[in-house]
């Protein structure tokens, strides 16, 4: 299996698992506080005084310095959909790397692998 | 002493201490690796594929979720100089709050106090 | 000035600053997302399937392992008001210490200092 | 393979690996400081001024805000054995989510998946 | 498959992935800031006022308290190559465990598994 | 008051507060688990397979990447007493800076200020 296929399969599995568990948490269990938190989370990235695509970039950098691969993948999916170029994403990742240090490097590798897979998705 | 004066004095003290210690570290001690790191850090926020003012906003959010008041103050000084409005900064801070959780709240208070002091500086 | 007076003055200053900045953030600035986050935060500690006093203890331990002194003070004020004894708080702090390691020790000192000051308040 | 089987297999693998490595670390290698740390860790959750089941809930929330899936699984196994209900665990997880922010969400998904698997174990 | 083979295969996969992604990031994409960061990172562990092998031990402990398995594996490969014995590595890991707390335990298990696999490599 | 006097007074206040609170926690309150943790912590830095002075350097770097000023000061006091030179401490701090990123810079300033004050103590 090619590397691109590896990363594509990884992203597919993440999206399937994410959708299944969100349905379990929000639709079946439905704890009110948790549901409201998820709503607040979605709302934070909508267009406002800052446009949504800038806020997705903020979410990406926050996820990288806090070192959460699932969060990185989620925001990269949004960033690519919002039209950020590879060069712009590299710049944002560089800020995350400098702020967060070499401990961020494994997550930089993961993020670049994800971006390449997203560009290869038709 | 008014609150605005408190925060202004705090910012002045931070800038004086920062300048003194940077001179001690970079000019007097001058460890090559540390000097290069400081150069990389400055370079990360210069105009490139992303403009510098967007990258300062990324630095602000990274500093808030990592909960470093000195870093928050540094990036807020740059963000205000770069022309970000209160409404835009509030939006960025909201992203940091949602990503980082209530543990960020004391740093949100600090950040708002700093922005108010920076607006009051002539 | 005695040590007890030191810590009492520190707590008074924290509560004054907290009230002033919360009013600034929520009443004057009033960003909708931030206001909703503060509401969610308050709601998380109300009686429910778990009683509020147990949830305050959870908030205390979370604040200690994340090493935020302001958050520790806030939850200790609630924990003491909710009737947790020194022995029970020591047990919770011990869990935080074991989970979070020696890096938590400065915050354990801070927390014990705060509890002593709260017990001395009439 | 059904989702429930996936999570059950994951838990089985975790418990096997944990037992094997603990035996390697404690019985074969036996560094005195490390052995004492493991003893302290076990002792922290025994009944005392706070009962053990409350302390397991503290351990769960600490593990969630520090974002360690293995630690979350370990404390969930104990919490379920101690008789905490789904509704009570949801409340504790909500506190962790509010304190730790959206970066905790992937670990909330993991935790809910684990609880479901534990309930399905006979 | 024996446990030793498991860990050996894991290390092989890590080294292959690391090499492939570093080539992608540094040779193909080649963002100047990121390349310079990687150079600084390598330079930080070269012989200087402290010898390189001591600095690898510092890198190991930093990676353990920050809880990054890939970083732990990388520094363990260097530490074993530099001649640190199991007893010396155990001592360093004990410092990481005490500083970072029980949340480090899953990474201690991972690290011991890695050291055993490295000793078994011819 | 000169800068050197500032930092010296800060260190004196830290040591006084640390001694007072440790006495309060260990001698007066005396929670068994907490006392044992403090003993384990002290024991981790004694001569063993690694000498104590190397382990103090490990403690310093761990404290810097975890960004705890009190912990940094404590380990710097031990490192200076153990005979580490400024050049050697700079090298260790550089490792912490590269691993932990620019978020460590305020703690690097603090650490250099502390070392200077310790050298000025007779």
């Amino acid at each position: 299996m090619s590397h691109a296929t590896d990363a594509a399969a990884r992203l597919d599995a993440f999206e399937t698992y994410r959708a299944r568990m969100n349905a379990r948490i929000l639709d079946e269990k439905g704890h009110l506080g948790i549901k409201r938190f998820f709503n607040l989370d979605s709302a934070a990235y909508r267009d406002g005084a800052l446009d949504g695509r800038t806020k997705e970039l903020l979410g990406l950098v926050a996820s990288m310095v806090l070192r959460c691969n699932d969060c990185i993948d989620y925001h990269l999916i949004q960033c690519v959909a919002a039209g950020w170029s590879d060069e712009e994403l590299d710049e944002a990742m560089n800020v995350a790397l400098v702020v967060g240090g070499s401990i961020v490097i494994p997550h930089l590798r993961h993020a670049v692998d994800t971006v390449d897979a997203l560009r290869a998705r038709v």
Side-chain angles (χ1 to χ4, degrees), chain A:
Chain A
M1 195 160 64
S2 76
H3 301 314
T5 320
D6 279 352
R10 172 172 64 71
L11 278 172
D12 288 346
F14 163 65
E15 289 183 312
T16 303
Y17 176 79
R18 183 176 176 277
R20 174 167 71 84
M21 293 309 305
N22 279 10
R24 173 76 182 114
I25 293 168
L26 303 175
D27 302 337
E28 292 181 28
K29 293 172 73 79
H31 182 282
L32 190 60
I34 293 176
K35 287 174 73 167
R36 285 183 176 158
F37 190 96
F38 275 66
N39 285 338
L40 259 189
D41 183 29
S42 301
Y45 299 96
R46 293 211 189 96
D47 286 338
L50 287 176
D51 52 22
R53 72 192 292 269
T54 298
K55 293 198 276 188
E56 286 296 340
L57 212 59
L58 298 175
L60 171 65
V61 169
S63 300
M64 289 188 75
V65 299
L66 289 175
R67 303 186 280 127
C68 172
N69 280 347
D70 280 2
C71 309
I72 289 170
D73 285 349
Y74 175 77
H75 287 294
L76 279 174
I77 292 168
Q78 310 304 317
C79 283
V80 165
W84 290 109
S85 69
D86 275 23
E87 289 68 27
E88 290 164 327
L89 293 176
D90 286 351
E91 287 274 270
M93 290 182 194
N94 183 46
V95 169
L97 179 62
V98 166
V99 173
S102 69
I103 208 84
V104 170
I105 289 179
H107 304 276
L108 173 66
R109 289 189 196 110
H110 180 92
V112 168
D113 202 27
T114 292
V115 172
D116 288 346
L118 290 170
R119 300 294 184 203
R121 271 188 177 175
V122 187

